[in-house]
Amino acid sequence: MNFVPVNQPLLDGREKQYLMECVDSGWISSEGPFVKQFETEFAARVQRKHGIAVSNGSVALDAAIAALGIQPGDEVILPTFTIISCAAAIVRAGAKPVLVDADPNTWNMNVEQVAAKITPRTKAIMIVHIYGLPVEVDPILKLAHQYGLWVIEDAAEMHGQTYKGEPCGSFGDISTFSFYPNKHITTGEGGMIVTNDDRLAERCQSLRNLCFQSQKRFVHEELGWNFRMTNLQAALGLAQLERLDEFVQRKRQMGQYYRDRLSDISDLQLPLPSTEYAENIYWVYGLVLSDSVPFDAADVMKQLSACGIGTRPFFWGMHEQPVLLRMGLFYGESYPVAERLARQGFYIPSGMALTEEQMEQVVFALKELFA
Ligand SMILES: *Cc1c(COP(=O)(O)O)cnc(C)c1O
């Protein structure tokens, strides 16, 4: 039986055609015309004024934090259950990450815990939409307004998703995306910052391009980075963006397929198909083992691997990261929901190119394991 990889992208649209245009024209750097076009079309898709393409979703967060002027002494509230990129961007700016736990059903940040974490030093709330369902945005926006805080929205896993009908990526003062190959649309590596704010957009454009100045190019008032996206990446991005609606539909069908066949395994918690404000787009199809099971996610993943099924563990909370604990952060803090998700959660193959035969194979292996 063939191995079922946890992710495989689908590149059978106009990807080749646009890439060939890059090669034929010689435009392969970030100066090529597809970059601007991708920025414009992507920003329009999420109803933002500006799109700033960058080299990945992690540096999009670095640039966002820097553009907002977040600095030592500042605090930023974020979920503990997320990818390291979120905390890393805050820590690298010299600021302090302040955590909230996850919701046991949506796996998103527990918005009810945010207010209690606001101090006079809080500058921003970083919301991170997790695994396919959006964060409950309204209470966050209300708090941000009330306390004068920035909202940074990490929408890396949310291409094509909406919250109460409005696109994810349209809620932050700055919002960010990733185009890693396991996201709904991919550029191989890549990311995008979107905003409506002219000044923040200009800051991000400058920061991604070494803070070159237009008049005195090699004289720098500030240190930036080279976070530029290439024309080759943007070519892929444009071809993928053309199919975003189709891709979202595909993911929803996968979610439905798995749900129909796995819901009778009582030891598995499946992703919620919807909340009152959104329908799941299943960035990944996550499973959480019930506490009564005598093994943990690591054991199951090992077993599935032996049956030819690729998996990945869930995020490991920021408050349990050795690198952050060694910096003196989160001493003695505990977030039980995130701790449980990290140990009991994993996700099964759910990439865009997954076939029904492969899903059948995954379901078969899981049924055997839990029989
Ligand atoms: C994938 C992801 C990122 C990082 O994106 P890269 O392009 O891999 O650097 C950041 N945040 C979230 C929530 C992600 O899922």
Side-chain angles (χ1 to χ4, degrees):
M1 217 176 247
N2 290 328
F3 191 79
V4 185
V6 74
N7 176 66
Q8 217 180 333
L10 199 57
L11 304 169
D12 56 356
R14 296 214 174 90
E15 287 81 359
K16 234 183 237 174
Q17 180 192 327
Y18 295 163
L19 280 171
M20 284 308 292
E21 283 182 38
C22 297
V23 174
D24 289 340
S25 68
W27 281 116
I28 55 173
S29 77
S30 62
E31 295 285 312
F34 285 144
V35 178
K36 189 82 230 147
Q37 195 187 335
F38 184 40
E39 289 176 334
T40 305
E41 290 185 18
F42 191 86
R45 172 74 208 219
V46 291
Q47 295 170 18
R48 303 315 292 262
K49 191 168 169 196
H50 303 283
I52 302 100
V54 292
S55 41
N56 60 68
S58 300
V59 302
L61 289 165
D62 286 299
I65 291 277
L68 291 172
I70 286 166
Q71 55 186 2
D74 293 344
E75 295 177 0
V76 179
I77 298 170
L78 77 161
T80 189
F81 189 70
T82 185
I83 192 167
I84 192 73
S85 315
C86 301
I90 297 164
V91 168
R92 288 207 176 101
K96 185 179 165 194
V98 174
L99 305 175
V100 297
D101 205 353
D103 177 282
N105 300 311
T106 65
W107 309 331
N108 270 305
M109 70 197 290
N110 184 337
V111 294
E112 283 169 21
Q113 294 182 4
V114 174
K117 296 286 177 133
I118 296 173
T119 76
R121 289 178 297 281
T122 308
K123 285 283 154 31
I125 304 170
M126 182 186 282
I127 61 173
V128 188
H129 307 293
I130 299 288
Y131 293 176
L133 282 172
V135 172
E136 201 182 341
V137 180
D138 282 344
I140 300 289
L141 295 179
K142 197 165 158 220
L143 282 175
H145 183 74
Q146 192 179 340
Y147 291 92
L149 308 174
W150 299 109
V151 173
I152 304 157
E153 179 188 17
D154 182 347
E157 305 171 3
M158 288 298 125
H159 311 142
Q161 180 57 293
T162 58
Y163 166 81
K164 294 188 177 172
E166 302 286 322
C168 289
S170 72
F171 298 106
D173 293 288
I174 290 195
S175 304
T176 62
F177 287 88
S178 162
F179 304 117
Y180 189 71
N182 63 3
K183 313 298 185 189
H184 287 76
I185 64 173
T186 181
T187 61
E189 300 285 348
M192 186 80 76
I193 303 163
V194 293
T195 181
N196 287 338
D197 186 307
D198 297 344
R199 189 189 63 88
L200 289 176
E202 209 174 297
R203 293 272 303 137
C204 290
Q205 279 153 1
S206 177
L207 286 163
R208 101 176 139 180
N209 194 24
L210 297 169
C211 295
F212 285 131
Q213 302 196 89
S214 52
Q215 299 304 317
K216 298 178 179 173
R217 182 166 176 87
F218 292 108
V219 179
H220 300 264
E221 295 290 344
E222 210 182 342
L223 291 180
W225 295 278
N226 177 354
F227 287 165
R228 300 183 301 255
M229 174 183 274
T230 69
N231 205 48
L232 296 162
Q233 291 166 304
L236 281 174
L238 279 168
Q240 291 266 295
L241 187 56
E242 290 172 1
R243 301 176 67 187
L244 178 53
D245 292 329
E246 177 199 333
F247 284 174
V248 167
Q249 203 187 343
R250 226 181 144 89
K251 284 279 204 172
R252 286 188 169 142
Q253 280 165 357
M254 281 178 208
Q256 184 67 42
Y257 183 98
Y258 277 141
R259 181 162 196 88
D260 288 347
R261 287 155 185 82
L262 299 176
S263 54
D264 59 342
I265 303 180
S266 59
D267 287 326
L268 291 177
Q269 178 193 347
L270 310 182
L272 283 182
S274 62
T275 61
E276 58 191 89
Y277 39 81
E279 236 185 283
N280 208 324
I281 59 166
Y282 304 101
W283 171 55
V284 294
Y285 200 86
L287 300 173
V288 181
L289 300 172
S290 71
D291 294 323
S292 57
V293 174
F295 38 80
D296 65 12
D299 300 321
V300 178
M301 289 190 291
K302 208 181 291 171
Q303 300 255 22
L304 286 172
S305 173
C307 307
I309 311 293
T311 57
R312 286 284 182 284
F314 268 19
F315 292 134
W316 197 260
M318 294 303 103
H319 70 289
E320 297 197 274
Q321 296 295 338
V323 62
L324 300 178
L325 291 169
R326 278 201 301 273
M327 291 174 180
L329 289 165
F330 318 133
Y331 181 77
E333 292 178 28
S334 167
Y335 300 94
V337 177
E339 285 161 25
R340 179 171 177 272
L341 290 175
R343 287 158 181 80
Q344 306 287 82
F346 64 102
Y347 61 88
I348 54 179
S350 32
M352 209 56 76
L354 195 68
T355 64
E356 191 159 324
E357 292 71 49
Q358 288 176 314
M359 283 192 283
E360 208 176 298
Q361 205 178 319
V362 174
V363 168
F364 181 81
L366 279 167
K367 293 228 183 216
E368 291 273 282
L369 214 63
F370 288 90

